Amino acid sequence: LNLPPFLVGVLAAGLLGHWVPERWFQGLREGFIALPAPAQATVLFGVALTLRHMAVAEQVPFVYFQF
């Protein structure tokens, strides 16, 4: 694979998320709602940093023009 390990981890987590029981997601949701506002802000900030880390800053060339 020519993917960064971080991206492989994110893809694996997404794939495994398909087999997680629905009640686990409900429990995470209820747990997040029960957190105080500063803790919720910290979690959301971490999610935003993760998304920013995954973003590509430069334009990716169209793959079919490289053959």
Side-chain angles (χ1 to χ4, degrees), residues 52-65:
R52 183 171 184 253
H53 179 72
M54 290 173 43
V56 178
E58 65 274 354
Q59 182 179 5
V60 179
F62 191 57
V63 68
Y64 293 111
F65 291 146

Side-chain angles (χ1 to χ4, degrees), residues 10-61:
V10 170
L11 290 173
L15 180 65
L16 292 174
H18 284 84
W19 289 291
V20 172
E22 182 68 28
R23 67 180 187 276
W24 288 13
F25 286 112
Q26 293 297 330
L28 284 173
R29 180 178 179 266
E30 296 300 322
F32 180 77
I33 291 171
L35 288 174
Q40 287 181 356
T42 303
V43 170
L44 292 176
F45 184 70
V47 170
L49 285 179
T50 301
L51 291 174
R52 183 171 184 253
H53 179 72
M54 290 173 43
V56 178
E58 65 274 354
Q59 182 179 5
V60 179

